[in-house]
Amino acid sequence: MPSISYIAQRLRQFLLPGGDPGRRATADTYCPTCHVVSLFFFFVMCGTALAADRPNILFIIADDASRDSMGVYGSTYVKTPNFDRIASEGVMFTQAYNCNPKCAPARACLLTGRYSWQLEEACNHNPFLSDKWVFYPYLLEESGYLMGFTGKGWGPGIHKGTDAGKSGFKKDNPAGHAYNNRTLKPPFQGISNVDYAANFEDFLNATPEDKPFCFWFGTKEPHRGYGKDNWKLDGRDLRDVTVPKYYPDNEVIRGDLADYAIEVEWYDTHIGRALKHLEDCGRLDNTLIIATSDHGMPFPRVKGQIYDDGFHVPLVARWGNRIKPGRVVTDFVTFPDLAPTVMELAGLPLHDQMTGNSFVKQLLADESGRIDPERNHTLLGKERHDIGRTDDDLLSVAYPARAIRNDEFLYVRNFEPQRWPIGNPEYGYLNCDGSPTKTFLTELSQSDPNYRFFELAFGKRSAEELYDMTSDPDCVQNLAGDPKHAETKARLWAQLTEELTAQGDPRILGNGEIFDFYPNCRIDRQQKLYRKPEYDPVQLFEDKFGSE
């Protein structure tokens, strides 16, 4: 059923005197009896229309899959026919972004409808997630939806006493009620045994056809680790692999990328099975299906980094005949926009917490291209992702950055450039997953001709970075020091500052230190890493900022 506030709003607009200036009743036309009759028919019509119009919602999200790993975005060595099918039968977004390129903060943006720097502790990875936040699946459940999730929901981190990762995502999560009982034998080492599609089928079987549903379908692939040289077992040819410009081209890196491709294709396989389950039960065309990834691939200079391959994500959607097929939309959309979009489609008012903007207009438009000229840029940022970065006596500090991306440029402001962006060398550059690629780069000597690739991935960065996104989509040529681009740099910094100030970003307002102190929930790991068994980040936070 629609919410009481939603019904009240509609009543004020269409029935009550003065409720809508465009349709206002006058003293001559107002009739109390007519209002009673109108009220009865309004409730009947409103309930019937909303029951028919409220879509089922299937949200499919990969864990660490890059945008250009999808066929529809140009990949040739990774095959994703089912992801591509959603695009061809619906709409593809070419300018979709995740706001903060790490698992927990990106997923928090999706579920809360809020920009990362507005999420306090949830701007960081592995937080103690506060009870103050509301999550769109539960708002939909309150309005009559049935909801659940499989695979990976929000996380890693701790919410309501449950460690999302360590619990195996088998308990209620901000993404919904858990459906993770079905398992299978994985085809390769490193792939999860969770049978995502079968768990979704169980959910569908438990959901009456006359009830709308909302389901979060979160694969754990292509998150590491991988079975090394799975590509050999699968008979792949390394000559087919595409190597980004920020890596040297060799067999080690090509093999790592080929192993990654196998896991992206596993994600795609489960998309195909999910679509088949919807077809078999006759619900495919009344289900809005959105498919994406939380951020780029788990490789150096991608996952967790403020470069295009880290935060520029794939996003496609289909909804029967409600979305015109084969469209390509260039409007900028970002993860905080998802929850407002879902709320609008469910006929619910925007929750006060949500600061993102619905992209329903972009989903349902007839045309391709730029639907709204005002959606011409996005904001991005990060604070602490992983532990292992220090600043004098401070442990587990952030690498704070904010950025603005438009059609032409990416401008990045690094607020603490003296810090190591990927974490301190002595702790193993922990904001980068272990991999053959990481090992190859970190073992290069300064005299090696390939050493520049190590510096691109792990070296310290300038306070400002500027990249031409047309000529340098891999973000390897920093133009920030070029006088020819001084005006562009100043203009983008002014725009970034103005918009973040309006959003109340503590980093811009001079209170950014708090992000260094929000506790990382992996306390035992930090005590061991720093060899400080007495280290207590919760107590440190409370001593500095209080316990509230």
Side-chain angles (χ1 to χ4, degrees):
M1 286 291 294
S3 69
I4 296 299
S5 60
Y6 175 81
I7 293 174
Q9 180 183 17
R10 297 297 300 272
L11 282 171
R12 283 194 297 271
Q13 290 176 344
F14 297 110
L15 299 179
L16 301 181
D20 182 352
R23 305 181 65 172
R24 181 172 297 152
T26 66
D28 294 333
T29 60
Y30 177 66
C31 169
T33 303
C34 293
H35 267 253
V36 173
V37 175
S38 298
L39 180 65
F40 171 78
F41 282 105
F42 172 81
F43 273 97
V44 172
M45 293 170 64
C46 181
T48 302
L50 281 176
D53 291 344
R54 302 179 92 192
N56 302 316
I57 298 165
L58 174 60
F59 181 72
I60 306 173
I61 182 168
D63 195 4
D64 302 8
S66 286
R67 170 180 176 271
D68 60 6
S69 299
M70 307 297 162
V72 72
Y73 287 100
S75 177
T76 56
Y77 78 97
V78 189
K79 308 301 181 184
T80 56
N82 299 298
F83 185 95
D84 300 347
R85 174 189 171 186
I86 296 174
S88 66
E89 296 179 356
V91 59
M92 176 177 74
F93 290 83
T94 62
Q95 300 285 12
Y97 298 87
N98 61 16
C99 192
N100 187 334
K102 196 75 169 185
C103 301
R107 292 161 187 258
C109 292
L110 286 166
L111 288 161
T112 63
R114 199 165 175 83
Y115 283 87
S116 193
W117 40 89
Q118 299 174 322
L119 281 170
E120 302 174 11
E121 79 293 333
C123 182
N124 289 345
H125 196 55
N126 266 314
F128 292 93
L129 185 62
S130 172
D131 291 348
K132 71 186 292 182
W133 309 117
V134 296
F135 310 109
Y136 79 78
Y138 291 86
L139 293 173
L140 264 61
E141 183 179 48
E142 291 174 3
S143 76
Y145 271 74
L146 300 179
M147 61 86 167
F149 85 99
T150 190
K152 183 173 179 177
W154 171 85
I158 293 176
H159 179 242
K160 293 187 175 180
T162 296
D163 189 312
K166 291 184 178 180
S167 71
F169 295 96
K170 292 189 175 180
K171 296 184 179 181
D172 282 1
N173 181 276
H177 306 308
Y179 283 78
N180 276 320
N181 291 329
R182 298 276 290 274
T183 60
L184 48 64
K185 183 179 179 180
F188 295 100
Q189 182 183 353
I191 290 178
S192 170
N193 70 346
V194 177
D195 193 338
Y196 316 108
N199 286 318
F200 177 52
E201 182 181 27
D202 287 349
F203 172 82
L204 289 175
N205 290 338
T207 304
E209 291 188 13
D210 61 347
K211 287 280 190 179
F213 70 77
C214 169
F215 195 82
W216 174 292
F217 190 107
T219 72
K220 299 180 182 181
E221 291 75 31
H223 195 289
R224 292 188 187 271
Y226 308 151
K228 190 174 186 304
D229 292 340
N230 277 345
W231 66 270
K232 293 181 180 178
L233 300 176
D234 201 38
R236 303 208 171 207
D237 189 339
L238 294 188
R239 291 174 296 183
D240 296 334
V241 172
T242 303
V243 179
K245 290 182 179 179
Y246 39 80
Y247 299 145
D249 189 348
N250 58 45
E251 184 173 333
V252 171
I253 291 171
R254 282 181 175 265
D256 202 11
L257 289 165
D259 287 341
Y260 156 79
I262 289 172
E263 299 224 355
V264 177
E265 292 178 5
W266 186 245
Y267 159 72
D268 188 74
T269 295
H270 280 269
I271 293 178
R273 290 178 57 198
L275 295 176
K276 182 66 164 55
H277 292 325
L278 286 170
E279 286 177 316
D280 288 347
C281 69
R283 302 188 197 183
L284 178 62
D285 287 339
N286 67 338
T287 299
L288 170 63
I289 303 166
I290 299 175
T292 187
S293 173
D294 54 1
H295 48 71
M297 62 184 182
F299 281 72
R301 212 170 189 269
V302 182
K303 178 179 177 178
Q305 306 309 309
I306 302 296
Y307 297 120
D308 213 57
D309 282 353
F311 57 67
H312 197 169
V313 296
L315 183 68
V316 296
R318 83 178 297 282
W319 182 14
N321 60 11
R322 299 295 298 270
I323 293 179
K324 186 177 178 180
R327 292 170 51 241
V328 178
V329 169
T330 64
D331 293 45
F332 281 68
V333 297
T334 182
F335 275 7
D337 298 339
L338 175 73
T341 301
V342 169
M343 295 290 284
E344 180 177 347
L345 290 171
L348 300 173
L350 187 69
H351 192 279
D352 290 343
Q353 165 191 284
M354 296 177 181
T355 55
N357 296 299
S358 168
F359 56 89
V360 168
K361 179 180 178 181
Q362 285 68 27
L363 284 172
L364 303 184
D366 286 333
E367 65 271 27
S368 291
R370 183 67 48 89
I371 309 303
D372 181 355
E374 297 298 315
R375 297 189 81 130
N376 58 12
H377 69 283
T378 194
L379 305 184
L380 304 130
K382 61 181 284 188
E383 288 291 337
R384 185 206 304 119
H385 284 171
D386 286 296
I387 62 175
R389 183 185 299 107
T390 63
D391 194 343
D392 293 330
D393 293 333
L394 292 176
L395 306 179
S396 293
V397 294
Y399 190 79
R402 299 292 185 272
I404 183 168
R405 167 71 154 87
N406 60 27
D407 290 304
E408 299 175 286
F409 291 100
L410 166 65
Y411 172 79
V412 184
R413 175 62 67 98
N414 299 310
F415 293 95
E416 301 286 354
Q418 79 283 1
R419 296 177 181 176
W420 289 96
I422 319 300
N424 291 27
E426 65 269 28
Y427 297 125
Y429 302 109
L430 290 180
N431 195 27
C432 177
D433 296 351
S435 68
T437 300
K438 178 180 180 179
T439 299
F440 178 87
L441 294 175
T442 55
E443 290 182 351
L444 291 170
S445 67
Q446 293 188 31
S447 61
D448 193 296
N450 287 321
Y451 189 72
R452 65 186 180 92
F453 294 108
F454 164 81
E455 292 183 308
L456 281 172
F458 297 98
K460 289 187 176 180
R461 296 171 183 166
S462 304
E464 293 181 289
E465 299 178 75
L466 180 70
Y467 300 97
D468 185 323
M469 298 314 303
T470 301
S471 63
D472 183 24
D474 286 327
C475 301
V476 296
Q477 185 64 45
N478 184 7
L479 304 174
D482 187 339
K484 292 188 299 185
H485 294 283
E487 183 180 347
T488 296
K489 187 175 68 172
R491 172 174 50 81
L492 292 173
W493 170 236
Q495 183 181 1
L496 179 62
T497 302
E498 180 181 2
E499 294 189 21
L500 290 175
T501 299
Q503 292 184 10
D505 181 0
R507 184 61 67 180
I508 294 295
L509 298 177
N511 305 314
E513 181 187 32
I514 195 169
F515 292 113
D516 287 331
F517 283 86
Y518 284 123
N520 181 292
C521 71
R522 300 286 185 257
I523 296 174
D524 56 343
R525 186 179 174 213
Q526 293 169 86
Q527 292 170 340
K528 182 177 180 180
L529 181 70
Y530 304 127
R531 298 181 181 179
K532 290 182 177 291
E534 74 283 2
Y535 179 64
D536 185 349
V538 175
Q539 189 62 54
L540 288 172
F541 181 87
E542 292 179 351
D543 288 346
K544 190 170 183 65
F545 297 101
S547 58
E548 295 298 323

